[in-house]
Amino acid sequence: MNVFVFDTIQEASQKAFEVFQEALANDAKVFGLATGSTPEALYEIMVNSDIDFTDSISVNLDEYYGLAGDHAQSYNYFMNEHLFNKKPFKANYLPDGTNTDSDAEVERYNKILAANPVDLQLLGIGGNGHIGFNEPGTDFNGHTQLVDLAPSTIEANKRFFASAEDVPSKAYSMGIASILESKQILLLAFGEGKAEAVKGMVEGPVTNELPASALQNHDNVTVIVDKAAASLLSK
């Protein structure tokens, strides 16, 4: 892993933007994207730049189960609001949270990923070490799946909803194996609340109790963090 530490989220996000620029310059065509507060500054930089994704394809990590794409807390809605409506791609793919046939949805999304191998995958990390919605205990050999969200994930995400009871308890997510098939991985983490997970990811043992530690098994990972998220790293 190549780890970069910056004083501010804005500086870190600018570096992440440069990683995207370099990937495009090297003919990357498929970008795996993430949602949540972590990539918001990066997406804002993209929107305000001249970066051109009109020949690119996006595939998203995950989507809440049970939320329609026009629901204000769906990840489809988030991506449209923060990026797609202002920076169009040739095609955008996300899991369909309204598909109650999970086997069919998993098969559909795995076929999309097989047809569109990811050149650069953007990730955040949960306080419990999850990437995508791959919670502690996740099988590293899994591909797309319908997952039960950990109580800590529901607690962390309840700030986006009226109450914890309104947070979906399940989500569709790319699996660890899907993520590791990406040619290049870029992970962002900001804030003291991510410090323990970042330390485990970078310096701890590879264990499915901290899913992000699986990234140690990939040969092209860039980790960009602020000082708070890097505060527990020993080097």
Side-chain angles (χ1 to χ4, degrees):
M1 289 183 184
N2 294 311
V3 181
F4 297 88
V5 182
F6 291 89
D7 289 333
T8 68
I9 291 174
Q10 194 65 25
E11 290 172 325
S13 299
Q14 180 62 40
K15 174 64 176 179
F17 174 71
E18 292 166 7
V19 173
F20 271 82
Q21 284 183 309
E22 183 178 359
L24 271 173
N26 290 325
D27 297 323
K29 295 296 184 185
V30 182
F31 294 90
L33 300 179
T35 54
S37 57
T38 298
E40 282 187 12
L42 168 60
Y43 292 157
E44 184 176 359
I45 291 169
M46 287 179 174
V47 165
N48 292 320
S49 76
D50 61 359
I51 198 167
D52 185 359
F53 290 117
T54 54
D55 290 328
S56 303
I57 292 169
S58 76
V59 290
N60 261 72
L61 278 168
D62 41 30
E63 178 61 282
Y64 283 122
Y65 180 74
L67 294 192
D70 59 357
H71 188 286
Q73 297 307 328
S74 76
Y75 288 166
N76 182 79
Y77 186 92
F78 176 99
M79 293 306 305
N80 284 327
E81 287 295 300
H82 289 275
L83 188 62
F84 297 156
N85 288 344
K86 302 155 190 169
K87 280 288 174 182
F89 285 66
K90 183 166 65 175
N92 305 117
Y93 297 108
L94 294 92
D96 179 4
T98 66
N99 191 347
T100 58
D101 185 341
S102 60
D103 290 341
E105 182 57 20
V106 163
E107 181 179 4
R108 183 189 76 88
Y109 210 62
N110 281 334
K111 285 181 177 178
I112 288 171
L113 295 175
N116 299 282
V118 174
D119 293 304
L120 174 61
Q121 176 65 59
L122 176 65
L123 299 174
I125 185 171
N128 66 359
H130 73 214
I131 47 177
F133 273 133
N134 295 288
E135 303 284 22
T138 297
D139 184 350
F140 284 176
N141 295 314
H143 288 82
T144 306
Q145 56 198 315
L146 179 64
V147 302
D148 293 314
L149 300 184
S152 60
T153 298
I154 292 173
E155 179 68 21
N157 289 354
K158 74 177 185 181
R159 69 188 188 275
F160 301 115
F161 292 82
S163 70
E165 289 71 31
D166 293 322
V167 183
S169 61
K170 297 177 183 290
Y172 287 114
S173 179
M174 282 190 206
I176 298 292
S178 307
I179 292 169
L180 293 180
E181 287 168 359
S182 307
K183 294 175 187 173
Q184 181 180 3
I185 294 172
L186 169 62
L187 184 140
L188 307 182
F190 307 133
E192 188 177 352
K194 302 296 178 70
E196 190 171 338
V198 167
K199 180 176 176 59
M201 173 184 66
V202 176
E203 298 178 352
V206 176
T207 168
N208 65 0
E209 289 309 306
L210 200 143
S213 67
L215 299 181
Q216 293 181 36
N217 295 328
H218 195 282
D219 62 6
N220 190 356
V221 179
T222 301
V223 176
I224 299 178
V225 294
D226 64 1
K227 284 187 173 180
S231 60
L232 297 180
L233 293 176
S234 61
K235 54 189 175 182

